[in-house]
Amino acid sequence: MVRYQSRIEDQENSIKAVMLQYVAAFILSFVLAFLFHDNWTKHLDFYHTILELTCVFIGFSLFLTVWYNYERNPISNRILGLGYMAVAVFDVLHTIYHLKLNLSEHLYFDLSTRYWIIGRLAQALTLVLSLYICNTKTDKRVALLKTALIISGISYVVVKYHDSLPVLLTAQGVTPAKVFLEYVVIALYLLCLYKIKNKVNDKSSITYKYIFISLLMNIPSEICFTLYSSVQSITWTMGHIMKIISYFFLFKGVFISSVTYPYEKLEADHKELDLTYKELEAANKKVTRLSETLNDILDEMPLGLLKYDEEGKVEYVSKEVEQIFACRRDHLYGLTEEDFLRMFHRAEKDEKTLVQRIMEDGGDTQNILRSYRTLNRKYVKLLISAKKVRNGVLVCFN
């Protein structure tokens, strides 16, 4: 009962912290809109293009993050990646056509607005599907082909049959059709909020509290886009600023979390296992079993790990190293770093090897980009981090 009550209190505190971040972001969007509105209207095409392309960049970043780790990602992440690729494509088309927007009385062709609303519907549906679908498995190439066909089909219909589609924007402002579609998007966002309200404390490859804030920012953004009478309106400016802030939280919730989560999980596992190891060492029991458990956990991590002993020789190799370097790990034990570099030629040259520098100077090294030639004669670029640990050096390849 006490544990349950504590869990409830933790969840309430987390929701309060999330709402404080949301309120701060909401106020910031108002301040930015009022400060930059005059300059925004003077250079409308420039600022609009920059903001939209920033959102496009984030969308494609999410897609690439998921694509290169597709098999390791859950179904929800796969849907997010492919869905935001579609959103990014529609936003690119919206941005391109916005630069050609014609609001004359005799010639109206609102492709920019149509691609805008399609992008927002695609975004909302992507979030809904990622939260509510959990048992579909599809090969990533087949999934990408299906997504590309959907994008192509929708784009063809919008351009080919534009005269048959309802008008969304006129010189007098937004039409009832656009307002209705914007509120459909808002309804889908509310459906997502309901689904993840109990996941605010959860943290895996996705940090749901940031997704929650992103959704909360999207709702007033969409409301702004139902109110403006022209692209010179401050509500239009405010809507775009809220949109870019919502994408910032989405970026933190998916892309940054996906990059940092393996390291954080490894660190947490290391601390937990180190504590367990000390307890077992004091009791002089189950040391062998703990070592096997540690190896199993490290083998499941999506990181290549090499542990060098105090003499600079490899004493541990994780399973991921075999996949990265196309080798057998039992051939690496006992090698020095010089032996390792002779086996896997590195394009960059340093005065001191990484392990030698860590052993001599202490400290650690974070996120160094290096290229190695694997045993199948291919070059692979790796992000390398190294840290001095007890009795040696731990090197991580990502």
Side-chain angles (χ1 to χ4, degrees):
M1 182 66 182
V2 175
R3 185 178 298 178
Y4 175 77
Q5 186 67 29
S6 176
R7 190 182 304 123
I8 295 296
E9 291 177 357
D10 289 343
Q11 184 172 350
E12 290 177 352
N13 291 334
S14 296
I15 292 176
K16 289 179 181 178
V18 166
M19 293 307 297
L20 284 174
Q21 290 187 63
Y22 165 66
V23 171
F26 189 78
I27 294 173
L28 176 64
S29 65
F30 267 89
V31 173
L32 291 175
F34 279 100
L35 287 177
F36 294 105
H37 177 65
D38 289 340
N39 197 35
W40 171 284
T41 54
K42 292 177 182 177
H43 309 282
L44 181 64
D45 286 344
F46 174 77
Y47 286 115
H48 176 268
T49 302
I50 292 298
L51 287 181
E52 288 298 324
L53 291 183
T54 301
C55 295
V56 169
F57 168 76
I58 293 174
F60 279 121
S61 297
L62 299 183
F63 164 68
L64 292 174
T65 300
V66 173
W67 179 259
Y68 286 107
N69 295 279
Y70 192 84
E71 288 75 16
R72 296 191 183 99
N73 275 288
I75 299 299
S76 59
N77 290 30
R78 299 177 187 181
I79 294 174
L80 277 176
L82 292 167
Y84 268 93
M85 182 198 73
V87 174
V89 171
F90 291 133
D91 281 348
V92 168
L93 294 171
H94 160 69
T95 304
I96 292 172
Y97 281 108
H98 180 270
L99 298 174
K100 301 176 182 178
L101 191 62
N102 189 340
L103 294 178
S104 67
E105 184 177 354
H106 303 290
L107 178 61
Y108 183 76
F109 189 43
D110 61 341
L111 278 176
S112 176
T113 309
R114 286 169 181 171
Y115 278 118
W116 162 268
I117 201 68
I118 291 170
R120 305 291 64 76
L121 286 168
Q123 181 179 358
L125 286 172
T126 294
L127 290 167
V128 169
L129 293 175
S130 70
L131 291 169
Y132 285 87
I133 294 180
C134 56
N135 58 359
T136 300
K137 292 185 178 180
T138 307
D139 178 78
K140 69 177 187 177
R141 293 174 181 80
V142 174
L144 179 62
L145 178 61
K146 290 180 179 179
T147 305
L149 289 174
I150 292 172
I151 294 171
S152 302
I154 292 174
S155 299
Y156 175 80
V157 170
V158 170
V159 175
K160 181 71 174 178
Y161 302 102
H162 62 86
D163 289 333
S164 303
L165 298 174
V167 173
L168 302 179
L169 182 66
T170 67
Q172 288 72 42
V174 295
T175 65
K178 183 177 185 297
V179 173
F180 171 77
L181 291 173
E182 296 282 11
Y183 278 106
V184 169
V185 172
I186 292 173
L188 293 174
Y189 286 148
L190 291 173
L191 190 64
C192 294
L193 284 172
Y194 175 79
K195 184 67 174 179
I196 68 172
K197 62 182 173 57
N198 295 324
K199 294 185 176 183
V200 173
N201 284 329
D202 294 354
K203 185 175 182 182
S204 57
S205 56
I206 290 181
T207 305
Y208 281 100
K209 69 177 181 179
Y210 294 128
I211 304 298
F212 193 84
I213 298 173
S214 177
L215 287 167
L216 288 175
M217 289 302 301
N218 272 317
I219 291 173
S221 172
E222 294 300 320
I223 292 175
C224 287
F225 291 122
T226 67
L227 301 175
Y228 73 94
S229 57
S230 74
V231 293
Q232 305 290 329
S233 170
I234 192 169
T235 55
W236 199 75
T237 306
M238 196 175 300
H240 278 87
I241 291 176
M242 288 180 178
K243 180 191 173 187
I244 195 69
I245 292 177
S246 75
Y247 263 79
F248 167 73
F249 284 107
L250 178 73
F251 186 73
K252 289 186 68 174
V254 180
F255 181 78
I256 295 179
S257 297
S258 296
V259 172
T260 60
Y261 174 69
Y263 295 97
E264 293 173 354
K265 188 174 187 304
L266 180 62
E267 182 179 357
D269 288 343
H270 177 74
K271 289 179 180 178
E272 183 178 350
L273 289 170
D274 188 55
L275 178 61
T276 305
Y277 181 81
K278 290 178 180 178
E279 292 175 353
L280 292 176
E281 189 178 47
N284 197 22
K285 295 178 181 179
K286 301 180 181 179
V287 176
T288 302
R289 179 181 174 185
L290 176 63
S291 177
E292 293 174 353
T293 302
L294 176 61
N295 289 341
D296 290 341
I297 291 175
L298 294 178
D299 280 345
E300 290 299 317
M301 295 295 296
L303 294 170
L305 300 174
L306 285 179
K307 167 67 167 56
Y308 289 85
D309 61 19
E310 291 178 317
E311 298 178 1
K313 295 183 178 181
V314 176
E315 68 173 4
Y316 174 76
V317 184
S318 71
K319 188 176 181 181
E320 186 72 6
V321 173
E322 293 184 321
Q323 182 175 346
I324 293 174
F325 292 99
C327 67
R328 290 177 52 182
R329 55 178 163 175
D330 55 352
H331 292 167
L332 304 181
Y333 289 105
L335 295 182
T336 64
E337 192 172 26
E338 291 79 6
D339 297 331
F340 185 89
L341 294 177
R342 280 193 289 271
M343 181 178 292
F344 307 103
H345 175 71
R346 197 183 75 200
E348 301 83 0
K349 300 294 183 182
D350 295 328
E351 293 181 5
K352 292 182 179 180
T353 63
L354 181 62
V355 173
Q356 182 183 4
R357 188 167 67 248
I358 296 294
M359 294 284 277
E360 291 179 1
D361 303 333
D364 57 16
T365 300
Q366 296 288 333
N367 300 333
I368 296 177
L369 190 63
R370 291 288 186 266
S371 299
Y372 292 86
R373 185 179 62 195
T374 66
L375 292 188
N376 58 11
R377 313 295 292 180
K378 294 181 179 179
Y379 276 90
V380 59
K381 287 187 177 180
L382 301 174
L383 202 61
I384 301 174
S385 297
K387 183 177 182 64
K388 186 167 176 47
V389 295
R390 186 173 58 185
N391 302 324
V393 176
L394 180 67
V395 181
C396 302
F397 301 90
N398 189 16

